[in-house]
Amino acid sequence: MRLRHALTAVLGAALLLTAIPGSAAAASGQFRYSYVTVDGDEASGFLNNPPSDRCINLHGVGQDNPQPGHSPKNRTDTWATVFTGTNCQGDSFRLRPLTGGASERLKVRSVVFG
């Protein structure tokens, strides 16, 4: 009898573990963008292996910098959606995995992968 109860407990635990979603996956690769600093200098920003399904405000182009970023390049293995505003608001544009990119005409302040 004890063996049967132990087996039932193990099978129940295994079912619970498969029902619990895993941690958020990360996109593999690098996302790059260019921007002008508040001092007027050209700079590059990048995200290495960014988390998926989470909005990321891009460094250097937040609300304290009047100039947005530009020329995004998606070199990750996941679709990237860039936004004109912070907190993934405003107009958006999708960049394909590995080769997606846009010119300096595309202005960006945040991105989400997935």
Side-chain angles (χ1 to χ4, degrees):
M1 271 313 230
R2 286 187 185 164
L3 181 59
R4 198 177 315 164
H5 290 289
L7 184 58
T8 302
V10 168
L11 286 175
L15 285 174
L16 281 175
L17 287 175
T18 58
I20 298 171
S23 61
S28 294
Q30 188 178 72
F31 176 84
R32 297 179 230 159
Y33 60 99
S34 299
Y35 65 100
V36 177
T37 67
V38 291
D39 296 327
D41 299 321
E42 276 290 324
S44 295
F46 60 90
L47 301 170
N48 288 321
N49 304 319
S52 296
D53 302 320
R54 193 179 96 201
C55 181
I56 302 169
N57 289 325
L58 299 174
H59 176 73
V61 295
Q63 294 174 339
D64 49 332
N65 186 347
Q67 301 224 26
H70 61 85
S71 307
K73 306 280 186 263
N74 184 19
R75 302 300 181 254
T76 71
D77 62 353
T78 304
W79 282 90
T81 304
V82 294
F83 293 83
T84 57
T86 57
N87 302 315
C88 294
Q89 296 190 2
D91 293 333
S92 64
F93 186 81
R94 291 193 74 191
L95 300 172
R96 80 180 92 229
L98 303 176
T99 61
S103 73
E104 64 185 39
R105 293 186 337 204
L106 181 60
K107 307 303 182 190
V108 298
R109 289 191 188 271
S110 56
V111 62
V112 67
F113 296 88

